[in-house]
């Protein structure tokens, strides 16, 4: 797949993403219970302001706050997508996004990934969109989108993706004696 000039709302809509709503509207929406992938978008392209402390909930006693320097190092200038994730659990996208939203409000939730978004001063204006798919496809689709983002942005991950969910390489038969 050849990359688009940018992963914009228009480009994502053309690929089957829907929703595009602030996290606060999720409880009143019809987020599907199917598996899938989701993105968090910051429509403002100016440099962000970072909060000194994250309002997000602590998980297992860990404070989600990081320094402004660390956030600045992770920031990708010009990108609208700030996080790419997948939902492959029992209640799919609905549960995963509900957990993500609850975490951002300071409540306990099983969503530690993507926590940097809550230290954006304008996190209330971020939009979340999703694309339902089968469980078998979600992991690969998430990685494809991360890879495309990296290609578009000089190898950088989206702002709040703290690790690359690199594809598992199938094991090959190797002859140990040959080494």
């Amino acid at each position: 797949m050849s990359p688009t000039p940018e992963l914009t709302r228009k480009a994502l809509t053309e690929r089957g993403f829907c929703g595009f709503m602030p996290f606060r509207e999720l409880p009143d929406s019809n987020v599907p219970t199917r598996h899938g992938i989701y993105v968090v978008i910051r429509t403002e392209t100016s440099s962000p302001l970072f909060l000194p402390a994250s309002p997000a909930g602590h998980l297992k006693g860990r404070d989600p706050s990081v320094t402004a320097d660390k956030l600045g190092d992770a920031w990708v200038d010009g990108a609208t997508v700030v996080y790419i994730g997948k939902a492959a659990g029992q209640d799919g996208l609905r549960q995963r996004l509900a957990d993500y939203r609850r975490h951002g409000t300071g409540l306990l939730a099983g969503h530690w990934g993507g926590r940097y978004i809550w230290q954006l001063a304008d996190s209330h204006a971020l939009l979340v969109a999703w694309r339902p798919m089968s469980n078998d496809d979600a992991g690969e689709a998430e990685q494809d989108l991360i890879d495309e983002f990296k290609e578009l942005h000089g190898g950088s991950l989206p702002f709040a993706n703290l690790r690359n969910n690199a594809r598992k390489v199938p094991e090959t038969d190797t002859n140990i004696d040959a080494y």
Side-chain angles (χ1 to χ4, degrees):
M1 148 177 47
S2 64
T4 58
E6 178 53 68
L7 294 172
T8 61
R9 179 175 179 163
K10 180 179 185 288
L12 292 165
T13 300
E14 290 169 358
R15 294 178 187 197
F17 281 84
C18 56
F20 297 98
M21 64 181 59
F23 278 92
R24 70 179 173 278
E25 293 180 17
L26 287 174
D28 299 323
S29 68
N30 291 320
V31 178
T33 57
R34 292 183 54 203
H35 298 136
I37 59 175
Y38 59 96
V39 295
V40 179
I41 298 171
R42 182 174 181 260
T43 57
E44 179 63 48
T45 57
S46 63
S47 295
L49 296 175
F50 302 120
L51 300 175
S54 176
H58 291 216
L59 183 66
K60 298 179 182 176
R62 294 184 297 172
D63 183 345
S65 302
V66 296
T67 65
D69 286 343
K70 193 166 191 172
L71 295 168
D73 289 346
W75 187 253
V76 181
D77 285 328
T80 55
V81 171
V82 293
Y83 185 70
I84 298 169
K86 75 171 185 279
Q90 182 177 352
D91 289 320
L93 287 159
R94 180 178 300 157
Q95 185 63 51
R96 190 67 176 152
L97 292 175
D99 287 346
Y100 201 2
R101 181 190 61 78
R102 277 195 309 277
H103 182 244
T105 63
L107 299 174
L108 284 177
H111 200 297
W112 189 249
R115 65 189 177 275
Y116 283 11
I117 70 163
W118 304 120
Q119 269 185 267
L120 291 169
D122 60 354
S123 66
H124 63 280
L126 298 175
L127 302 179
V128 62
W130 55 88
R131 184 176 138 208
M133 58 187 45
S134 77
N135 185 33
D136 296 338
D137 297 337
E140 189 162 332
E142 175 195 34
Q143 189 61 53
D144 286 346
L145 203 54
I146 289 171
D147 289 346
E148 182 175 349
F149 184 97
K150 288 171 57 180
E151 187 176 328
L152 289 166
H153 296 284
S156 296
L157 289 169
F159 168 67
N161 284 86
L162 304 184
R163 60 189 170 108
N164 187 11
N165 299 331
R167 299 177 203 285
K168 292 181 181 161
V169 178
E171 291 185 31
T172 59
D173 278 342
T174 57
N175 183 348
I176 294 174
D177 295 332
Y179 294 107

